[in-house]
Each structure stands twice: as C-alpha cells, then as structure tokens.
Amino acid sequence: MKQINIGLIGAGIVGGGVVKNLTRNSDLIAERLGIRLNLKWVCDKDESKTKGLPVPASVITPDAQRVLGDPDTHVIIELVGGTGFAKTVILDALSRGKVVVTANKALLAHHGEEIFAAATKHNTNIFYEASVCGGIPIIKALREGFVANHFPLIYGIVNGTCNYILSRMTAEGKDFNDVLAEAQKLGYAEADPTLDIEGGDSAHKATILASLAHGFWTGYDNTYVEGIKHVSQFDIQIARELGYTIKLLAIIKGGDAQPVEVRVHPTLIPHSHVLASVNGVFNAVAVRGDVVGDTMFYGRGAGADATSSAVISDLADAALNYKFGSIQRVPAFVAHRLNARLRTIDEVESRYYLRLTVADESGVIAKVATVLAEAGISIASVLQREAPEPKAPNSVPLIFMLHTAKDAAVRSAVEKIDRLPVIKQKTVVIRVESFE
Ligand code: HSE
C-alpha cells in the first residue's frame, strides 16, 4: 500500500495522543483511506515527552530542523503551541511545500491571514480541525458539509474549562474562586487559567470560525471578549429564578448582506435551550445555515484522545489529497468575501440583564426607569428582592430585564445609572439571548 510520511513536532499531551491513536488504529485508518499514515518522525526537545511513546527509537529526535529538512516527509504536524517557534515551524514547512496540520488556535487567530497566504504561495495546504472544539468536526462541517450555505448564526460553548466552572457553580451553589481552585486541583483548569477564564481561548476559536464561515479574516482584535470572572453565584441564582442559565458563549451573527459580529461573553439563555443542558467540560456549537437550517454539534473540546481524533482526520485529508495528486483539493481557507464589513460591539443588538445594588428607599425604580426611558430602552420586567444580597448587606438588589437594545445605548445608560446617589455598587450587565 502507498504511504505518506508524517513528522510530528511537539509531543505534549495532544502529540502523545496522536502517536498512541495513530499506532492503535493504524490498520483501520489505512483500510479506510487506501494509503498508510507513516509516522516517520516524532520530535520534541524535551526527551521526557518522547520517552515511552509506542514508536521505534529511530523515529524520535529532539531536532525540528532534521524533520523539516527531510525531503521524504510530506506532512508536518505542529503541536508546539504558542505563537513563537510554532509559527517558525509552520512557515518553514509551508515554504518547503509540505502540508501542515495544526491545533494552534492562538497562532491562527492572530496570524491566520499570513499563514494561509504562505500555504497558497507555496502551492500547499494547512489543516486545522483540532484548533476549534477538539474532537468536534466543526471546521470540516463549515468548509465542506455546509458548503451550500450562508451562515447567519453560529453560536456555542467552545471552552470546556469555563463550562466546567459555570456548570459546577450552577449545580452546587459554589463561588467562582472555590470552583476554579478545585478545577485546578483536578486538572480541569490550567495552573495559569487566564486564557480560558478571561475568554481569550474562546475568542481565538470564534475568530477562526467567523473567518472560515464568512470568507474573510475577521481578526482577533475585532472579536469582543468578556470572560467569566465577574459571574457571581448571586447572578446565577437570580437568572435561575427568571428561567435562565448562564453560559460563556461565542456568538457569530450576520453575513451575506449584513455586517458580521463576533463576540464572546457570559450569556443568559433560557433553561429550555439545548445549550443550557451542555454541562461539565463538554463543548457544543450550533450552526444555522440558510439552506440546511439549524444544526448542533456536541463533544469534547479538549484532551489527548478527542483532539488527536481531529488531528488524524486532517492527516486523512492530507493523505487522500496526496494519493490523488491534488494537494489543494479542498483549500484550507478561501477568502471569498473580502469586501465584508464587521459590526462593532457598539452596534450589536441584544437583550440585557441588569442587576443594580440600590438603597432601599422610595423613588429608586422611577429614577432608573427614567434614565432607561431617556435612552429609548424598553424594560421587559423588574424584580426587586426584599432581602439584601449577602455581599451588599445595606442595600437591595434590583433586576431589570431589558428588551432588545443597542449595546452602546445600554452601556451609556448604565454609566448614568451608576452615577445616581441611590446606586451602591457597580451594576452587573449580562447579555440575554434565546436564538429563536
Ligand atoms: N483550554 C481549552 C478548554 C481547550 O478548556 O476548552 C483548548 O482550547
């Protein structure tokens, strides 16, 4: 049987999973493809990472240049991570006409345009299924399965760490910091969880999905990001009373004749929405196509096995293209809509949950309602709790649910509200979506 030679650079958790699963299912994959995936090199400068992997010692090297410089290695898997050496590896491999497979969301979100241009320039290709939602084949779905569609709406839970934390806060009534500490102990959150909990990881994935779906590089810096650090147990409880669950969502709306908005933030969604039942480390992405209608993808967004499943699917594509002599059969990214516009967060329209902390005295609701009315913002419902929030004992919580309004208008109204003497703490603002 014909074979394709592969060099893996970066033998960490995912790299180890790729080696294990490629070895374990090697015959099955070869039978399905009619070409064998031959792992010719496994490279990591840290020998403790490659020790014990189920490959002959002759396959292992600490020298990335040896792998990149091997003319018989056709595909490079980059699993180094980060935006430094990983970028050098990818650009070097592409410049030699090799096909690249990567899981590197940060690199693509920040430098995707340059990297895809390099692939095109050197008549080669780059695959990145594992960069978004681990084992869920969302890239292939958007690129191929849904090729007939415009995508007016894509949204979902794309970060397992945040979903794990919010799920446990919701189920167990615990505070953010306590659940984060436990998640770190159990290995569900990184020692430095910043990228996950501040929303950066979700924004990387949203940027890649938006760019692929809409045919132009939307750019990481144009993705609006809010993380989950400010989501309190109290807001989770109030949201529950009102019929909502709080999830960190990536939301991509617009396209076709409309500007495209790309945002990541905590969101109140109705309990009845299927995403409200996606708990723990699981990811789920909903895609609405103008032809296919509503679809939903669910699975593990991280971990050695789930992510290596995606890496191996990319290897399969690269191998089939090689077998049939058509390296660019399905281009990794096609910039088909270069004149598209982005919608800034100021112009985004949403519904809102506002939690005010107010002095319990007459006329407070009227004062707040006046500010909202002057801004042309319509109130959907008001809830006042008799008992104070535990963390603000001398005041009471006052919750306003707003009808759809522009983000800039709501933020400016909240600034005015927070200047009223009756307001005792900064108002909490969380967007509300039902995706009907
Ligand atoms: N840290 C990510 C998560 C996985 O928690 O989902 C890699 O993007």
Side-chain angles (χ1 to χ4, degrees), residues 23-42:
T23 309
R24 189 165 71 117
N25 287 350
S26 144
D27 289 344
L28 170 75
I29 299 165
E31 273 165 34
R32 283 186 172 152
L33 302 179
I35 179 168
R36 191 164 281 280
L37 304 180
N38 178 43
L39 199 52
K40 188 166 182 209
W41 298 108
V42 176

Side-chain angles (χ1 to χ4, degrees), residues 75-392:
V75 181
I76 298 293
I77 311 174
E78 179 278 305
L79 294 174
V80 174
T83 54
F85 181 57
K87 186 178 177 198
T88 311
V89 165
I90 289 179
L91 291 177
D92 186 322
L94 294 174
S95 73
R96 295 171 195 259
K98 296 184 192 304
V99 174
V100 170
V101 171
T102 180
N104 195 330
K105 63 219 75 167
L107 182 60
L108 291 180
H110 288 284
H111 303 286
E113 203 162 17
E114 179 187 349
I115 288 169
F116 285 95
T120 307
K121 179 174 162 201
H122 298 293
N123 293 316
T124 184
N125 216 336
I126 175 164
F127 294 92
Y128 50 102
E129 184 63 70
S131 69
V132 181
C133 295
I136 301 176
I138 189 68
I139 300 290
K140 201 169 174 82
L142 291 179
R143 191 181 59 207
E144 294 167 52
F146 297 148
V147 70
N149 293 262
H150 291 100
F151 300 108
L153 179 62
I154 299 173
Y155 62 100
I157 295 165
V158 298
N159 185 274
T161 305
C162 290
N163 202 42
Y164 177 83
I165 293 171
L166 291 176
S167 301
R168 285 199 55 191
M169 287 174 73
T170 304
E172 298 168 29
K174 290 184 173 163
D175 280 333
F176 173 83
N177 285 323
D178 297 336
V179 178
L180 172 61
E182 284 178 32
Q184 285 173 310
K185 249 193 238 156
L186 293 167
Y188 290 129
E190 304 275 349
D192 177 0
T194 313
L195 201 57
D196 292 313
I197 64 176
E198 292 190 353
D201 176 79
S202 298
H204 289 150
K205 295 165 185 166
T207 306
I208 295 169
L209 290 180
S211 303
L212 179 64
H214 293 290
F216 69 104
W217 276 97
T218 62
Y220 180 80
D221 292 341
N222 296 318
T223 297
Y224 176 79
V225 196
E226 263 177 43
I228 62 165
K229 276 199 305 201
H230 65 286
V231 176
S232 72
Q233 180 53 235
F234 190 62
D235 289 309
I236 289 177
Q237 284 170 26
I238 300 277
R240 177 186 292 139
E241 269 180 43
L242 294 167
Y244 294 91
T245 304
I246 302 182
K247 293 288 186 189
L248 181 71
L249 296 189
I251 301 173
I252 303 157
K253 277 191 192 176
D256 205 3
Q258 295 296 316
V260 177
E261 64 194 53
V262 192
R263 47 191 167 109
V264 169
H265 50 71
T267 312
L268 268 71
I269 52 171
H271 292 322
S272 56
H273 193 289
V274 65
L275 282 188
S277 307
V278 172
N279 287 319
V281 294
F282 279 89
N283 287 192
V285 184
V287 177
R288 182 173 295 166
D290 62 344
V291 180
V292 70
D294 283 319
T295 65
M296 177 79 72
F297 298 78
Y298 172 86
R300 285 185 190 278
D305 288 333
T307 311
S308 64
S309 171
V311 169
I312 295 169
S313 84
D314 280 348
L315 292 177
D317 269 336
L320 288 173
N321 289 357
Y322 174 75
K323 179 178 164 190
F324 293 106
S326 170
I327 294 297
Q328 291 181 316
R329 183 187 59 89
V330 180
F333 175 74
V334 180
H336 58 81
R337 203 161 155 260
L338 287 173
N339 58 353
R341 268 200 327 117
L342 284 162
R343 178 175 284 139
T344 65
I345 191 65
D346 284 352
E347 299 169 292
V348 161
E349 293 192 349
S350 175
R351 289 186 297 128
Y352 293 82
Y353 159 100
L354 308 184
R355 176 168 62 83
L356 288 62
T357 305
V358 302
D360 194 5
E361 59 188 47
S362 65
V364 173
I365 293 184
K367 284 180 186 136
V368 174
T370 302
V371 176
L372 293 171
E374 281 170 2
I377 296 168
S378 171
I379 298 164
S381 69
V382 183
L383 169 73
Q384 179 166 345
R385 279 279 196 85
E386 278 185 42
E389 191 224 328
K391 288 183 181 158

Side-chain angles (χ1 to χ4, degrees), residues 30-63:
E31 273 165 34
R32 283 186 172 152
L33 302 179
I35 179 168
R36 191 164 281 280
L37 304 180
N38 178 43
L39 199 52
K40 188 166 182 209
W41 298 108
V42 176
C43 170
D44 201 301
K45 62 181 185 329
D46 178 352
E47 282 178 12
S48 71
K49 299 264 173 66
T50 45
K51 212 158 100 187
L53 289 177
V55 287
S58 58
V59 164
I60 292 174
T61 175
D63 181 4

